[in-house]
Amino acid sequence: CDIYSDRVEENAKTIFKKYGKKPFVTTDYYEIIENDSVDAVIITTPWSSHIDIAIEAMKKHKPVGIEVGGAYSIEECWNLVRTYQETKTPIMMLENCCYGRKELLVLNMVKKGLFGKVVHCAGGYHHDLRNQIAFGTENRHYRLDDYIKRNCENYPTHELGPIAKILNINKGNRMVSLTSTASKAAGMHEYIKKEKPDDQKLMNTVFNQGDIVTTVIKCAGGETITLTFDTTLPRYYSRGLTVRGTDGMYEECTDSVFLNKVDEKYDFSWKDRWNNVEEYYEKYEHPIWKNYLQEGIKGGHDGMDWLVFDAFLDSIINKTPCPIDVYDTASWMCISVLSEQSIEKGSAPVSIPDFTNGKWIK
């Protein structure tokens, strides 16, 4: 299903070429959800429609794999949770970064106690999207409208998902409050002046989305999380995962591990130890990736796409809890809304709802 009929037909051709069968196609997602032959629904639509479609699918008892993105209101997050509680229909956010090799390596190192007590984590969505946004009209891409009308941490889950797993969010810990600060919005206008000067509509468009948004989250366990949203200035791609503990740290930007009483002699010559994470794979490789490397890596984004789909389908087939459940989904998505509120109030603290209604303690 797609609202654009040409995309529907193009994808149908791709599937026919691969399998020799043309799939059922439609431009109305209700026809998919109400089809008795459909076992599960994968939602890869614009962010603003994710929760609406997921709720309709759960009402029809169709397990849902929902693509990543931020929410647009706290109420829609609560509606998602309530629908799950009423229908007991499985739903999993397909956050592929939770299955990245390095993210799972670091998670395993944390669980093994290598970094001691974790005190602070950081991450970001550092990705130059100026071309994608500027040509949003031509490419029918939803991001353009969001960058014009919103100002928030609009894509929080790539960095927050792995951090939430490291800090046991919703499973013994929870995010309590946040503050968010946005820089001015200059990147898109300057890019359009250089790359699309003939597009008078965009040339005269005022973008609301700040170029750099910094969000600081406080957790019930006392830990802090810093998220950085950075997509409209020139830069290299990074998710910037950083974990700081009482016995050591991991930093993605230099791809290195620093351990107490092991690496202190490199305090002022740390470049000599950049990329030393390779030394830790043999002992601390996560079991998921041990198996995956033996079987042979499949799929995109260095293999983590295949792993997240496999985890979703495995949980549905074997009727086991989704590893990224509805409470994770709601609490990660709500960060967009709350950061928007904090920015509007001059970086004021904003409370984060407890979508588990206290069950996180157990």
Side-chain angles (χ1 to χ4, degrees), residues 3-193:
I3 61 171
Y4 299 113
S5 58
D6 60 315
R7 289 181 177 175
V8 167
E9 294 303 323
E10 189 64 31
N11 281 286
K13 288 176 185 175
T14 300
I15 293 169
F16 181 80
K17 186 177 180 181
K18 177 76 175 178
Y19 297 105
K21 296 178 182 179
K22 184 177 179 181
F24 171 80
V25 297
T26 179
T27 55
D28 180 357
Y29 71 81
Y30 283 99
E31 292 190 26
I32 298 288
I33 291 170
E34 294 175 355
N35 189 322
D36 290 337
S37 68
V38 171
D39 297 310
V41 174
I42 305 288
I43 301 170
T44 59
T45 60
W47 306 324
S48 59
S49 58
H50 282 185
I51 290 179
D52 288 343
I53 298 174
I55 287 172
E56 292 302 321
M58 286 193 286
K59 287 178 179 177
K60 293 292 183 179
H61 300 284
K62 307 284 189 183
V64 177
I66 181 173
E67 249 288 18
V68 301
Y72 289 75
S73 76
I74 297 301
E75 186 60 25
E76 69 171 353
C77 294
W78 276 114
N79 288 341
L80 187 74
V81 170
R82 291 175 187 130
T83 304
Y84 167 76
Q85 291 171 340
E86 291 167 4
T87 67
K88 303 301 182 187
T89 305
I91 179 170
M92 176 174 166
M93 176 176 274
L94 302 175
E95 181 42 87
N96 55 355
C97 294
C98 288
Y99 291 86
R101 189 182 181 192
K102 287 175 183 174
E103 283 87 348
L104 282 175
L105 170 73
V106 174
L107 175 65
N108 200 33
M109 293 169 79
V110 168
K111 300 305 180 188
K112 299 285 186 184
L114 202 68
F115 302 131
K117 292 182 179 180
V118 176
V119 173
H120 175 76
C121 292
Y125 188 58
H126 307 285
H127 190 184
D128 184 353
L129 297 174
R130 292 174 298 167
N131 180 272
Q132 184 185 100
I133 297 161
F135 290 88
T137 299
E138 293 87 341
N139 298 326
R140 297 175 295 189
H141 200 291
Y142 50 88
R143 262 193 171 102
L144 176 59
D145 273 345
D146 278 73
Y147 279 68
I148 293 171
K149 297 171 183 175
R150 301 187 80 189
N151 188 14
C152 62
E153 167 50 89
N154 76 27
Y155 202 60
T157 71
H158 275 344
E159 64 271 31
L160 180 57
I163 290 171
K165 294 300 181 181
I166 287 169
L167 296 179
N168 300 311
I169 300 301
N170 295 329
K171 295 172 177 63
N173 197 4
R174 82 174 187 92
M175 298 181 289
V176 174
S177 64
L178 65 75
T179 62
S180 196
T181 304
S183 76
K184 63 183 177 181
M188 283 310 304
H189 182 66
E190 293 301 310
Y191 180 85
I192 290 162
K193 277 202 308 186

